[in-house]
Amino acid sequence: MDMQNSLLNRLFDAGLLIETGVDGLYGRSGAFEDVITRFEALIGAFGAADNAEAIRFPPGMNRAHFEGSGYMKSFPQLAGTVHSFCGCELDHMNLLQCMAEGGDWTKGQEATDIVLTPAACYPLYPTIAKRGPLPAGGGLYDLQSYCFRHEPSKDPARMQLFRMREYVRIGTPDAVREFRQTWMERGRQLIETVQLPVEIDVANDPFFGRAGRMMSNNQRDQNLKFELLIPVTSTARPTACLSFNYHQDHFGTTWGLKTADGETAHTACVGFGLERIALALFAHHGLDTADWPAPVRKALWG
Ligand code: ATP
Ligand code: ZN
Ligand code: MG
């Protein structure tokens, strides 16, 4: 905990992250953003040969798609919904009075059609399903989005709003598994290129509740999730900076994704936690990018 606090405070002092008064909600300096931009370019270089289709969604998604994804079954504790004032002028007067009295003015807010995106790939599946069956060979997509998770923390690597860069493969089970294997190797190479220590291990998602524990065990037993870990705030407990997920036919069945042969498609994604990677770089190479090792500077800035 001490180490976490000290890294966070050092980042604030250096101006790389900017306090807002809410744990896990930070501004970023130009220098911090530049590292993310350059690292994303490096990711793009590693993935360039595959010709992924680039798609960018905003950080909010269609609530109906969110509901259909089953997210609330697995991770109700992390979700963030967008609510708005939808009342008349009288409601507005009551709202202002409630605020003036320090009351809970949010009670009257109504759910909108938008939910904050919990992972960059969630808006993709219904979008691709709507196009009809996949072309022969399946699909490959390049995504990036701010994501929201309600997990306030003093650990700078656990933010509430952070960016995820993802590649998503949709196709036959073989194609999808091969994609994941390729990115596990590329991910390791990528991180070694910027001279960070890496370790890859089997993992599970933070499924909610008692039923969730069984889902976590099942996910581990079947090797459905791997994480690439880098020590950021602790060497004993390194941080997951990339994850490699095989969803089997979960999203294919949920959204009716079909291969060109009419089979239910399987899906996999590789997710890069962009802030976590930037934080790992600053933690290992120093808070001033001018002091970073020459090969790291060359890999990022050319
Ligand atoms: P963790 O195990 O640390 O909770 P996760 O396994 O839930 O992370 P994923 O759902 O696999 O993470 O998300 C993909 C990537 O997004 C992660 O590998 C990580 O790099 C990044 N990420 C996840 N949660 C956060 C967060 N709260 N703040 C910053 N980055 C995050
Ligand atoms: Zn994903
Ligand atoms: Mg995890």
Side-chain angles (χ1 to χ4, degrees):
M1 207 59 187
D2 237 349
M3 262 183 82
Q4 286 174 10
N5 268 315
S6 71
L7 179 62
L8 186 59
N9 285 327
R10 287 198 301 133
L11 292 160
F12 287 156
D13 290 345
L16 289 163
L17 292 184
I18 299 144
E19 266 188 287
T20 68
V22 177
D23 290 341
L25 181 72
Y26 309 117
R28 284 98 166 124
S29 73
F32 190 94
E33 288 301 287
D34 190 36
V35 169
I36 289 194
T37 304
R38 306 310 305 197
F39 191 82
E40 276 209 83
L42 193 59
I43 300 173
F46 271 70
D50 305 344
N51 262 313
E53 178 185 342
I55 305 180
R56 295 291 179 267
F57 291 103
M61 65 180 288
N62 182 333
R63 174 154 67 100
H65 292 166
F66 172 85
E67 289 164 359
S69 74
Y71 196 83
M72 290 307 280
K73 250 185 249 165
S74 300
F75 315 109
Q77 78 282 19
L78 299 176
T81 51
V82 177
H83 284 63
S84 284
F85 170 78
C86 304
C88 63
E89 283 187 61
L90 179 60
D91 297 322
H92 182 218
M93 276 169 51
N94 290 332
L95 170 87
L96 293 181
Q97 192 179 347
C98 179
M99 286 181 93
E101 290 165 356
D104 183 1
W105 62 274
T106 63
K107 283 262 157 59
Q109 300 280 102
E110 286 176 35
T112 66
D113 290 334
I114 296 175
V115 171
L116 297 175
T117 304
C121 63
Y122 273 73
L124 179 73
Y125 308 110
T127 302
I128 300 304
K130 202 167 155 226
R131 291 182 180 173
L134 288 149
L140 176 66
Y141 311 91
D142 160 353
L143 309 173
Q144 197 256 48
S145 175
Y146 258 101
C147 297
F148 174 85
R149 293 185 186 180
H150 186 234
E151 46 184 2
S153 170
K154 298 267 185 221
D155 177 352
R158 191 166 298 285
M159 298 185 176
Q160 298 199 63
L161 276 158
F162 58 94
R163 274 159 293 179
M164 216 185 271
R165 172 75 178 265
E166 286 200 45
Y167 286 100
V168 182
R169 184 81 169 95
I170 308 184
T172 62
D174 280 349
V176 155
R177 275 197 296 259
E178 188 190 302
F179 158 86
R180 188 174 70 152
Q181 194 54 42
T182 299
W183 270 108
M184 280 172 68
E185 285 151 27
R186 281 181 187 166
R188 182 187 285 278
Q189 280 172 27
L190 242 166
I191 298 300
E192 282 171 355
T193 302
V194 291
Q195 299 193 355
L196 295 172
V198 338
E199 183 191 316
I200 293 183
D201 203 357
V202 68
N204 63 268
D205 285 312
F207 294 106
F208 185 76
R210 196 145 32 101
R213 209 143 48 226
M214 279 173 55
M215 292 169 82
S216 297
N217 291 337
N218 181 51
Q219 195 181 27
R220 278 180 178 269
D221 292 345
Q222 296 196 63
N223 286 345
L224 298 180
K225 185 181 184 83
F226 288 91
E227 289 177 341
L228 184 153
L229 306 155
I230 308 174
V232 178
T233 49
S234 146
T235 37
R237 300 198 38 179
T239 300
C241 292
L242 277 70
S243 64
F244 312 90
N245 307 289
Y246 177 32
H247 317 116
Q248 299 172 302
D249 67 346
H250 170 74
F251 290 115
T253 301
T254 300
W255 296 112
L257 290 162
K258 299 283 183 207
T259 66
D261 296 340
E263 302 283 325
T264 296
H266 281 222
T267 64
C269 66
V270 50
F272 293 79
L274 295 175
E275 281 78 4
R276 285 187 179 180
I277 292 164
L279 291 171
L281 286 163
F282 284 113
H284 284 267
H285 299 320
L287 299 188
D288 187 346
T289 57
D291 300 334
W292 288 7
V296 177
R297 290 193 52 82
K298 183 155 189 304
L300 293 173
W301 285 277

